[in-house]
Amino acid sequence: MKTIVLKSRPEGQPTLSNFEFVEEYKTLTIADGEILLEVAYVSVDPYLRGRMNDAKSYVPPFKLNEPVHSGVVAKVLESKNDKFQVGDYVSGMLNWSTQQVSNGEGLNKVDPEKAPLISTYLGILGMTGLTAYLGLTEIGKPKAGETIVVSGAAGAVGSVVGQIAKILGLRVIGIAGTDEKIDMLKSKFGFDEGINYNTTKDMKSAIAEAAPNGVDVYFDNVGGPISDAVMFSINQFARIIICGAISVYNNTELPTGLSVQPFLVKNSALMQGFIVSNYAEKFPEAIQRLSGWLSENKLTYTETIVDGFDNIPQAFIDLFEGKNKGKMIVKI
Ligand code: NAP
């Protein structure tokens, strides 16, 4: 079996040298109540970068020389736990190890009725889908006829936020990093407008032009100058969901930016940080809505599937280069 451990804490952009592969030649055995798992799909996520720092956050940091873990879908190879049968697929937070033993705590059986592909339990029916739905509905409180701007729009969370906003009757503007992604936002996901932040010189004007009636909801996945530019277009009583700030995750010093308070005050606007795990009691409702829309073909998704366990660290690093469209997943 192979395991990926965090060898050193990244300084700035993570590199392959921050990770180490540990190979062990042993047969794993299970005790009563345990299951033996073979990992099938691994989710790589921007938030894992924060856990690689030795800093206080909403989840504890990874320990050096211990396995990195994230959302995983795995197959049950052996079971001495009544809740899981051999051949079942489960999802949950598991190690970046090809095989591992679990007592089943925190693992959910993957229901093939709800989704056509088991990888979707790491994306649209997993943490990122829940984030999109709950961040938008709980903080964004979207209303038909309003305008929403979504940054990181072609990624796992952003592409779902935009589609849900369309279902709910909003005008949807997405911001992403390539023309190909902008085309995808409009042709595949039904966004009304798209702005490529890498080729647009004046983001402030581009946002104002795309949102002639102003911005009522801003779903922020990236932070930094892109989000500063959105502030100039917010409407009275705007809701700003701070879901992520990938543009600054690799900064070694805290960046300075626009002072947002005057924009919030004069517009009586709400800006609120969002962490999906705080809404666990709403997960069943969210999954029901998401899987319902999926089966009605109102919602679709895209996944960037990278092949092979050895490519997990590179797939993670590639998130910061925008190499993914939709959810980045590694197939083992
Ligand atoms: P993702 O959007 O699928 O992947 C990351 C994307 O970020 C890349 O594809 C890239 O797209 C963009 N990006 C990278 N560097 C950037 C930069 N400097 N400026 C602007 N965009 C940049 O990832 P995700 O899993 O859906 O996560 C999106 C955000 O939500 C992240 O900030 C993540 O931390 C956050 N999140 C929060 C929660 C929560 O509970 N709060 C849960 C899940 C995710 P481009 O090509 O467009 O640059």
Side-chain angles (χ1 to χ4, degrees), residues 44-47 58 127-128 131 152-158 175-178 181 197-198 219-222 226 242-249 274-277 318-328:
V44 288
D45 301 273
Y47 83 92
Y58 61 97
M127 193 260 291
T128 53
T131 299
V157 173
I175 301 173
T178 67
K181 289 186 180 183
Y197 71 89
N198 278 319
F219 196 106
D220 188 5
N221 284 313
V222 305
I226 293 171
I242 306 295
C243 175
I246 192 166
S247 76
V248 298
Y249 287 173
F274 170 83
I275 295 294
V276 66
S277 51
D318 284 348
L319 289 168
F320 299 91
E321 301 288 333
K323 297 221 174 123
N324 60 308
K325 288 196 206 106
K327 181 75 193 98
M328 182 79 111

Side-chain angles (χ1 to χ4, degrees), residues 114-133:
K114 284 209 175 90
L117 291 170
I118 54 172
S119 57
T120 52
Y121 285 91
L122 299 178
I124 195 156
L125 291 179
M127 193 260 291
T128 53
L130 292 167
T131 299
Y133 177 83

Side-chain angles (χ1 to χ4, degrees), residues 96-308:
W96 287 3
S97 294
T98 47
Q99 290 197 356
Q100 54 206 286
V101 172
S102 164
N103 62 8
E105 252 175 59
L107 297 182
N108 292 309
K109 270 199 221 179
V110 163
D111 180 356
E113 297 285 301
K114 284 209 175 90
L117 291 170
I118 54 172
S119 57
T120 52
Y121 285 91
L122 299 178
I124 195 156
L125 291 179
M127 193 260 291
T128 53
L130 292 167
T131 299
Y133 177 83
L134 291 166
L136 178 62
T137 54
E138 294 292 317
I139 299 176
K141 302 206 182 319
K143 295 183 207 71
E146 290 188 329
T147 298
I148 182 171
V149 170
V150 185
S151 58
V157 173
S159 58
V160 179
V161 170
Q163 292 182 79
I164 299 173
K166 279 309 294 177
I167 294 170
L168 300 177
L170 282 80
R171 174 177 168 76
V172 180
I173 299 155
I175 301 173
T178 67
D179 286 345
E180 205 188 333
K181 289 186 180 183
I182 298 299
D183 286 345
M184 178 184 74
L185 291 182
K186 294 196 212 164
S187 60
K188 185 173 171 80
F189 297 125
F191 283 51
D192 297 290
E193 293 285 346
I195 302 170
N196 177 348
Y197 71 89
N198 278 319
T199 54
T200 303
K201 284 204 179 71
D202 181 355
M203 282 297 288
K204 208 169 114 182
S205 303
I207 293 160
E209 215 172 284
N213 297 325
V215 175
D216 301 293
V217 183
Y218 174 42
F219 196 106
D220 188 5
N221 284 313
V222 305
I226 293 171
S227 301
D228 290 352
V230 178
M231 294 305 294
F232 290 86
S233 284
I234 61 167
N235 283 337
Q236 200 185 20
F237 303 123
R239 286 84 66 203
I240 299 162
I241 305 120
I242 306 295
C243 175
I246 192 166
S247 76
V248 298
Y249 287 173
N250 290 324
N251 284 28
T252 47
E253 282 176 26
L254 273 182
T256 50
L258 184 74
S259 185
V260 295
Q261 290 85 345
F263 295 88
L264 300 178
V265 171
K266 76 177 177 196
N267 292 298
S268 306
L270 171 81
M271 179 181 266
Q272 190 178 333
F274 170 83
I275 295 294
V276 66
S277 51
N278 292 337
Y279 296 83
E281 81 282 1
K282 305 243 169 168
F283 286 0
E285 167 204 317
I287 291 293
Q288 207 177 357
R289 294 296 298 275
L290 290 164
S291 50
W293 284 326
L294 265 178
S295 61
E296 292 164 34
N297 291 324
K298 289 185 175 164
L299 202 55
T300 184
Y301 60 90
T302 190
E303 295 172 337
T304 299
I305 305 270
V306 171
D307 239 333

